[in-house]
Amino acid sequence: MSRVNTFRCILHSTILILLVGLCRSRYTSTQESFQVLRIDAKNESDVQWLNGIMGRLEEKMGADFWTNPTTIQPVDIMLPFHSIGQFESLLQERDMIYSVMLENVEDIIESQMKNMRRRRDAISKDISFDYGIYHTYEEIRQWVKDISSEHSDIVEEFVVAKSYEGRQVAGVKISVPNGRKNKKSVWFEGGIHAREWIAPATVLFLAKQLIYDFRNGEPDVQRILHNLDFYIVPSLNVDGYAYTWSKNRLWRKTRSPTWNPFCKGTDGNRNWPYEWGGVRASKKPCNETYRGTGPASEVEIQGVVDFTRNLTKTQDFAVFIDWHSYSQAWMAPWSYSAQAPPPSDAADQLALAEAAVQAIKTVHGTDFRAGAAATTLYEASGFSIDWSYAVLKAKYSFCVELRDRGRYGFLLPEDQIIPTGEECYAAVKVVANKVVDEIGV
């Protein structure tokens, strides 16, 4: 991108040099590393047992559940080395099948950071924005400014909120004048969970591709942007995301304080003000799914609520997509309960989710699942898509879990960024064209 200067590229290479050391210090501070085990529950009893001991594993063994116990998918759990033997004994007592998914998390992070540094060194003289690498908060923030300036006739910068630590939660509005008022709106957000780096990277790619294809006269995108406005926030949990670059690559939550001085942060996707405080939304601040002190207690979540509700005075939201990783799933409401009556739009939502995953498969052959979140992944309350459907009235509210299914989990390598973006872009066009069809253009 023309406005990104060489000084920034050199600076960011320097940041990565420091980052390798910082990531090492995070995982060697207790003179041990971490390992990720994959457990295959063979029946409902195993699932219930894993659910029953989650809290104890987290509190007593330092476990981090990368995926939650369901009958749908394997359960991936990261544990410190000193807890592995004890946990394996528990699994063997129940005759449960398990395998090592990631042998040494610290080594993988350090290797990836070194590879990232080498790639950046190789392109340090190229002043354009590289969509095939992961970017820091500062780079993403600058991207918002630059692309809004470079395409100022159709792209406008906006700020949703100021984070707890004072960072701007910024995005871009892509809007093509068409002579009509009250165009329908589409909302994309990524990075509500800080460690899911592929989500902001994918959202950046999608925004870029929409703009570039419009400029190049691509008919589908011309039709889409003449009839829909896109509001795109690449990184919502900006404090947590910055922390993953400086201190702890696998940090998930925000960075606001809690009543427990030893445990910071709230799970932003348990904090939305609809069906808040129910299943899989912990009351304990040290838990990865801590729900916060109340609905929208996090300034980042309240910022989205206020910003989008204000927009509804003049525009209706047709689509709301919250981009996550990992497990390869395209999910619709409800999340808070598998027993609740389905949404009145469930048939249309699930049909479009199926169409989206078919579009994804045609690009690189990647298999996604489609369904309601509570039955496709797991039940969880205070979810973004439940709020966006029930309160914001966005008919097509989706939570998308991106690549992969566990080979790397949250540590997806950079060489998968572009393929992920390409397949999701195909799905986005399917979703957007469906909305335009329903508008009756």
Side-chain angles (χ1 to χ4, degrees):
M1 189 176 298
S2 60
R3 295 175 62 87
V4 180
N5 55 52
T6 305
F7 173 76
R8 283 178 51 231
C9 295
I10 296 171
L11 174 62
H12 299 148
S13 294
T14 305
I15 289 171
L16 271 173
I17 293 171
L18 297 173
L19 180 60
V20 173
L22 287 168
C23 285
R24 170 172 283 279
S25 68
R26 157 67 177 93
Y27 288 97
T28 58
S29 59
T30 56
Q31 302 301 312
E32 66 177 328
S33 189
F34 293 76
Q35 191 173 87
V36 180
L37 299 182
R38 167 159 284 190
I39 297 94
D40 292 313
K42 59 182 180 291
N43 52 46
E44 186 61 31
S45 175
D46 287 343
V47 173
Q48 292 176 358
W49 178 74
L50 284 168
N51 273 308
I53 66 169
M54 275 183 70
R56 181 158 63 94
L57 291 178
E58 290 168 339
E59 294 174 16
K60 304 297 183 183
M61 295 190 187
D64 179 1
F65 278 70
W66 282 21
T67 59
N68 282 285
T70 71
T71 56
I72 303 298
Q73 63 178 13
V75 181
D76 302 335
I77 309 174
M78 184 175 76
L79 296 119
F81 275 10
H82 78 265
S83 297
I84 296 293
Q86 184 181 357
F87 183 56
E88 286 180 331
S89 296
L90 292 175
L91 295 174
Q92 290 163 2
E93 287 176 7
R94 289 189 60 88
D95 196 27
M96 294 182 70
I97 299 171
Y98 66 95
S99 59
V100 176
M101 189 176 97
L102 297 177
E103 183 70 39
N104 189 307
V105 172
E106 177 202 28
D107 286 350
I108 292 170
I109 291 174
E110 186 171 355
S111 175
Q112 287 186 352
M113 292 302 175
K114 286 181 177 179
N115 289 336
M116 287 167 63
R117 186 185 67 186
R118 282 196 291 267
R119 285 193 64 182
R120 289 189 173 220
D121 286 346
I123 64 170
S124 61
K125 295 180 181 179
D126 183 355
I127 63 172
S128 63
F129 190 91
D130 188 345
Y131 291 89
I133 66 175
Y134 292 118
H135 289 277
T136 64
Y137 161 78
E138 291 80 8
E139 290 172 330
I140 293 173
R141 183 68 188 93
Q142 188 63 44
W143 173 90
V144 169
K145 293 177 182 293
D146 290 343
I147 205 161
S148 301
S149 175
E150 189 169 329
H151 300 277
S152 58
D153 58 325
I154 62 169
V155 182
E156 177 185 350
E157 174 186 351
F158 65 88
V159 175
V160 172
K162 183 173 285 188
S163 72
Y164 173 77
E165 293 181 344
R167 296 178 177 87
Q168 288 185 324
V169 181
V172 294
K173 175 186 178 182
I174 306 174
S175 180
V176 175
N178 69 352
R180 290 204 322 269
K181 295 181 179 180
N182 303 325
K183 288 169 67 179
K184 296 274 189 178
S185 297
V186 175
W187 181 270
F188 288 171
E189 63 183 36
I192 196 171
H193 291 149
R195 63 191 176 189
E196 298 169 10
W197 283 11
I198 189 59
T202 298
V203 172
L204 289 167
F205 181 92
L206 296 175
K208 177 267 298 187
Q209 206 62 43
L210 284 168
I211 295 166
Y212 288 10
D213 280 354
F214 178 81
R215 292 295 192 209
N216 292 327
E218 203 278 326
D220 260 2
V221 179
Q222 290 277 328
R223 180 175 186 259
I224 289 167
L225 289 184
H226 274 107
N227 293 284
L228 298 173
D229 287 343
F230 281 74
Y231 294 85
I232 299 176
V233 179
S235 178
L236 182 59
N237 177 10
V238 292
D239 292 346
Y241 186 69
Y243 194 72
T244 64
W245 281 84
S246 63
K247 297 290 185 183
N248 179 349
R249 170 64 181 86
L250 292 171
W251 185 261
R252 168 185 169 99
K253 300 186 288 183
T254 63
R255 292 293 299 161
S256 58
T258 69
W259 55 262
N260 185 328
F262 299 102
C263 297
K264 275 194 169 187
T266 289
D267 183 344
N269 211 27
R270 301 295 186 276
N271 193 237
W272 294 84
Y274 183 78
E275 294 293 339
W276 175 87
V279 65
R280 292 189 189 274
S282 178
K283 300 177 182 178
K284 301 178 179 180
C286 297
N287 196 288
E288 293 285 12
T289 58
Y290 176 54
R291 66 194 188 186
T293 56
S297 61
E298 301 308 284
V299 294
E300 299 86 354
I301 304 305
Q302 187 63 59
V304 175
V305 170
D306 291 343
F307 186 87
T308 54
R309 292 298 300 276
N310 186 59
L311 284 173
T312 59
K313 296 174 183 177
T314 57
Q315 290 186 283
D316 292 329
F317 278 88
V319 179
F320 183 107
I321 301 183
D322 195 351
W323 301 88
H324 289 255
S325 74
Y326 61 97
S327 73
Q328 297 175 196
W330 195 288
M331 300 177 295
W334 300 115
S335 171
Y336 77 90
S337 173
Q339 287 73 46
S344 59
D345 296 301
D348 287 348
Q349 291 169 342
L350 297 178
L352 189 51
E354 289 285 359
V357 302
Q358 287 302 313
I360 286 172
K361 188 175 178 63
T362 61
V363 180
H364 296 294
T366 310
D367 287 313
F368 273 57
R369 290 171 290 141
T375 54
T376 303
L377 201 60
Y378 49 76
E379 292 179 316
S381 57
F383 237 54
S384 61
I385 60 170
D386 288 354
W387 173 84
S388 62
Y389 177 72
V391 181
L392 195 62
K393 306 300 182 185
K395 176 181 177 180
Y396 294 112
S397 292
F398 296 120
C399 173
V400 180
E401 296 282 353
L402 299 164
R403 295 187 184 193
D404 56 9
R405 284 188 172 166
R407 173 64 182 88
Y408 294 100
F410 300 122
L411 303 176
L412 196 70
E414 286 184 314
D415 61 10
Q416 295 198 40
I417 295 174
I418 297 299
T420 301
E422 290 170 340
E423 62 197 14
C424 289
Y425 185 56
V428 163
K429 289 194 290 184
V430 167
V431 171
N433 273 308
K434 173 63 174 175
V435 173
V436 175
D437 288 342
E438 290 188 358
I439 293 172
V441 177

